[in-house]
């Protein structure tokens, strides 16, 4: 690791303290404990972050360690985009930090003057990121949902973000007017032949960038909690080798889509081709680690937004 100058090191520390205080919501005593410094030092670092204008709505200073971890992840997994945020040792949240970073990256794409197609998945992390977006006027862009917006009971899926995103950025939007899962392959093929669905499927193939959540598996996984799968079905999928899911698509520990099984019933848009599309996965934490590692190994995604601790675990795999 490159040696930091005293000034750069202090700004790194100030940026870290500022992030913990303003983004993670830690008290100065908690910051002092997390960074191994006195409360007075923590207070001074937070003040320095403000004085140096490092703190706006989002962190505005690249922390050297985060940048180095990002470059290492790029090399290891052949990624086109990496954003590493500081870790908060005292937090159990799976969205804090990466939601803000995800919002910043989505905003960067939406600020492009030339028209783009931006695809979004679903889930708690993406919803948290979309909630961070400022109001924008983006009539030149098209936004589409990679997943259906109908829940298992026929109601609107709560974590489908296409409508709230389109409302925030005033762009043309294309929902997937289907359930996440259907009863059979035949039903999916029939639904996919509908002209409205065909246009969404075509947009998915043309997407310039896609932002997706990485779903972990288990009885308390989102697919079970949201009623799409029961625990017995989930256990059976894991016995078949499933390690994670993106937009309902199940994959094994090497990032290969499972043959047959549930994937024959997934009505989601296939993930855009990674050769032509930047597909960014947002995930962090121990619960997401196995699924995220598998997605990276199989190049199901070619971009990632995660935190320091998860990045280190990925690099040691």
């Amino acid at each position: 690791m490159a040696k930091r100058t005293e000034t750069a090191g202090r700004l790194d520390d100030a940026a870290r303290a500022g992030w913990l205080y303003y983004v993670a919501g830690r008290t100065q005593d908690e910051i002092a404990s997390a960074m191994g410094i006195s409360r007075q030092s923590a207070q001074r670092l937070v003040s320095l972050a403000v004085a140096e204008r490092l703190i706006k709505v989002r962190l505005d200073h690249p922390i050297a360690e985060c940048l180095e971890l990002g470059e290492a992840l790029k090399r290891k997994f052949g990624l086109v985009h990496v954003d590493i945020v500081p870790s908060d040792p005292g937090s159990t949240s799976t969205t804090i930090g990466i939601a803000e970073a995800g919002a910043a990256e989505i905003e960067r794409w939406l600020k492009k003057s030339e028209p783009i197609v931006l695809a979004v998945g679903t889930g708690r992390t993406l919803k948290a990121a979309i909630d961070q977006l400022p109001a924008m006027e983006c009539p030149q862009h098209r936004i589409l949902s990679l997943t259906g917006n109908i829940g298992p009971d026929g109601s609107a899926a709560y974590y489908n973000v296409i409508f709230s995103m389109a409302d925030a950025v005033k762009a043309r939007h294309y929902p997937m007017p289907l359930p996440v899962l259907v009863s059979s392959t035949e039903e999916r093929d029939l639904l996919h032949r509908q002209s409205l669905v065909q246009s969404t499927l075509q947009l998915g193939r043309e997407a310039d960038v896609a932002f997706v959540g990485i779903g972990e598996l288990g009885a308390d996984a989102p697919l079970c909690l949201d009623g799409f799968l029961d625990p017995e079905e989930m256990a059976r999928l894991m016995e078949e080798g499933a390690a994670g899911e993106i937009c309902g698509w199940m994959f094994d520990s090497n990032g290969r889509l499972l043959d047959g099984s549930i994937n024959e019933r997934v009505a989601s848009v296939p993930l855009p081709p990674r050769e032509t599309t930047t597909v960014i996965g947002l995930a962090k934490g121990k619960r997401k680690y196995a699924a995220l590692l598998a997605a990276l190994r199989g190049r199901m995604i070619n971009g990632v937004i995660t935190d320091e601790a998860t990045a280190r675990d990925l690099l040691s795999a």
Side-chain angles (χ1 to χ4, degrees):
M1 186 176 294
K3 185 177 181 180
R4 298 181 295 172
T5 66
E6 183 175 346
T7 299
R10 186 158 178 78
L11 285 177
D12 273 2
D13 291 339
R16 187 182 299 275
W19 186 91
L20 288 170
Y21 187 78
Y22 288 100
V23 178
R26 302 285 113 188
T27 67
Q28 290 177 357
D29 286 330
E30 289 171 331
I31 295 169
S33 176
M35 296 182 66
I37 56 179
S38 69
R39 185 183 186 281
Q40 291 76 16
S41 294
Q43 185 178 26
R44 286 194 291 270
L45 286 173
V46 172
S47 298
L48 178 62
V50 175
E52 293 293 329
R53 302 180 65 83
L54 305 181
I55 300 298
K56 297 179 182 175
V57 176
R58 303 182 181 118
L59 188 62
D60 198 33
H61 177 80
I63 296 176
E65 291 179 50
C66 292
L67 292 177
E68 291 170 0
L69 287 169
E71 287 302 314
L73 277 181
K74 268 188 178 181
R75 292 192 298 270
K76 179 168 182 172
F77 294 106
L79 303 175
V80 298
H81 176 85
V82 178
D83 195 353
I84 308 298
V85 305
S87 295
D88 175 12
S91 174
T92 59
S93 170
T94 60
T95 66
I96 197 165
I98 60 171
E100 289 79 3
E105 183 61 16
I106 293 171
E107 184 181 346
R108 186 182 73 82
W109 279 87
L110 290 174
K111 283 182 175 178
K112 293 176 180 287
S113 57
E114 66 274 16
I116 65 166
V117 176
L118 187 151
V120 290
T122 187
R124 291 152 178 79
T125 305
L126 270 178
K127 185 177 187 303
I130 299 307
D131 287 344
Q132 298 281 337
L133 283 177
M136 302 174 68
E137 297 284 342
C138 305
Q140 73 275 31
H141 301 322
R142 289 175 291 175
I143 301 168
L144 77 137
S145 175
L146 292 172
T147 57
N149 60 348
I150 300 173
D153 61 354
S155 64
Y158 180 72
Y159 290 104
N160 190 286
V161 300
I162 186 72
F163 299 112
S164 56
M165 182 176 180
D167 202 35
V169 304
K170 303 298 185 292
R172 287 175 292 168
H173 57 289
Y174 300 79
M176 188 63 164
L178 299 177
V180 176
L181 295 173
V182 294
S183 60
S184 66
T185 306
E186 292 75 22
E187 181 183 4
R188 181 186 68 182
D189 293 344
L190 175 64
L191 291 170
H192 276 193
R193 284 196 292 270
Q194 305 305 307
S195 59
L196 287 175
V197 177
Q198 280 285 311
S199 63
T200 304
L201 292 170
Q202 180 58 37
L203 276 179
R205 292 187 284 269
E206 298 172 2
D208 297 284
V209 64
F211 293 86
V212 298
I214 310 294
E216 76 274 17
L217 303 187
D220 56 352
L223 283 176
C224 286
L225 294 179
D226 297 340
F228 293 105
L229 292 175
D230 60 44
E232 291 74 21
E233 289 177 300
M234 176 63 74
R236 189 161 57 250
L237 286 166
M238 295 175 72
E239 288 175 2
E240 293 173 3
E245 58 90 11
I246 296 176
C247 299
W249 298 104
M250 291 280 179
F251 50 88
D252 64 18
S253 59
N254 290 311
R256 293 188 296 255
L257 287 174
L258 292 186
D259 291 328
S261 187
I262 192 175
N263 285 337
E264 294 184 348
R265 296 168 43 217
V266 175
S268 300
V269 178
L271 287 179
R274 271 69 76 196
E275 296 78 16
T276 56
T277 305
T278 301
V279 181
I280 300 174
L282 287 73
K284 71 169 187 173
K286 297 294 184 184
R287 288 182 59 183
K288 300 278 186 177
Y289 170 74
L292 179 56
L293 176 61
L296 288 167
R297 280 175 170 166
R299 286 190 59 79
M300 298 198 70
I301 56 177
N302 56 11
V304 66
I305 298 175
T306 189
D307 70 342
E308 288 174 293
T310 308
R312 290 193 181 93
D313 288 342
L314 293 169
L315 289 170
S316 65

